[in-house]
């Protein structure tokens, strides 16, 4: 994960990492570039909101309340299929990743989340709808045999260029409590 993050163009403002087990929407890169115009500086962005782990019920409740919003904001990233990181922090992220503080976190997305928390950034912006979808493969993490799907995938033949990214934001509260629950689930999975 860190090698993919560190393979950024230093002239770029953001870096998108797309995992190889996803199906993107049409015009993914151009759509992500346009979407970033509605996002505050310095925050991570996820182009995917999953139906399963780490806590489906609170996410489901937030999505029900999202209405016409084009973003859901909560801690994270909680899912790593397509993550955008500001390039200004990637060198520091790499150093932290390899430090004792960073190496204690096993999951790629969890490490990114903890790094941003360590620099005082607690929110992650999630595109609504998701611009990528898992292809239906089982999780790459051991012990997880759940087929993963986005809550609402725009579609492989649809373009994110047609989304109005300024429609609004739905916030998921209780980020600290949800983060503790996520850590508890990760520890249980490691046993």
């Amino acid at each position: 994960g860190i090698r993919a993050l560190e393979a950024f163009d230093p002239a770029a403002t953001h870096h998108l990492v797309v995992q190889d087990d996803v199906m993107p929407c049409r015009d993914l890169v151009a759509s992500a570039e346009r979407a970033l115009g509605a996002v505050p500086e310095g925050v991570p962005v996820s182009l995917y909101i999953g139906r399963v782990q780490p806590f489906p019920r609170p996410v489901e409740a937030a999505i029900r309340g999202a209405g016409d919003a084009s973003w859901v904001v909560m801690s994270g990233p909680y899912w790593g299929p397509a993550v955008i990181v500001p390039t200004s922090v990637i060198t520091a992220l790499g150093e932290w990743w390899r430090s004792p503080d960073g190496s204690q976190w096993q999951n790629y997305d969890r490490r990114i989340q903890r790094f941003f928390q360590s620099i005082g950034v607690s929110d992650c912006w999630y595109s609504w709808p998701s611009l990528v979808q898992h292809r239906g493969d089982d999780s790459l993490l051991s012990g997880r045999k759940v087929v993963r799907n986005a809550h609402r995938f725009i579609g492989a033949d649809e373009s994110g260029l047609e989304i109005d990214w300024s429609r609004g934001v739905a916030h998921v509260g209780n980020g600290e409590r949800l983060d503790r629950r996520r850590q508890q689930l990760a520890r249980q999975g490691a046993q």
Side-chain angles (χ1 to χ4, degrees), residues 4-115:
L5 285 164
E6 290 175 329
F8 70 97
D9 177 352
T13 60
H14 291 81
H15 182 61
L16 168 63
V17 175
V18 179
Q19 294 179 351
D20 65 355
D21 63 339
V22 300
M23 174 177 28
C25 69
R26 199 166 38 84
D27 306 316
L28 176 65
V29 173
S31 300
E33 287 175 344
R34 181 172 290 166
L36 285 171
V39 174
E41 286 188 37
V43 299
V45 175
S46 175
L47 302 179
Y48 177 87
I49 297 178
R51 289 187 177 275
V52 295
Q53 301 292 348
F55 21 75
R57 286 189 194 120
V59 172
E60 184 71 38
I63 288 168
R64 275 195 308 272
D68 287 340
S70 44
W71 296 98
V72 174
V73 175
M74 61 182 140
S75 296
Y78 288 133
W79 302 275
V83 175
I84 301 171
V85 175
T87 57
S88 61
V89 302
I90 292 177
T91 300
L93 171 59
E95 291 169 3
W96 180 89
W97 192 284
R98 293 176 181 90
S99 75
D101 286 341
S103 61
Q104 68 179 317
W105 306 102
Q106 187 174 10
N107 295 356
Y108 162 78
D109 50 1
R110 177 89 170 136
R111 276 187 172 182
I112 296 170
Q113 176 197 15
R114 295 304 292 189
F115 166 76

Side-chain angles (χ1 to χ4, degrees), residues 75 78 117 172-182:
S75 296
Y78 288 133
Q117 287 176 337
V172 176
N174 298 320
E176 202 171 299
R177 183 182 59 81
L178 296 177
D179 193 45
R180 282 194 304 273
R181 177 65 179 142
R182 181 180 193 209

Side-chain angles (χ1 to χ4, degrees), residues 121-139:
V121 177
S122 59
D123 287 342
C124 179
W125 284 52
Y126 297 82
S127 65
W128 186 245
S130 295
L131 299 183
V132 300
Q133 171 70 293
H134 278 286
R135 288 188 308 222
D137 302 323
D138 286 340
S139 176

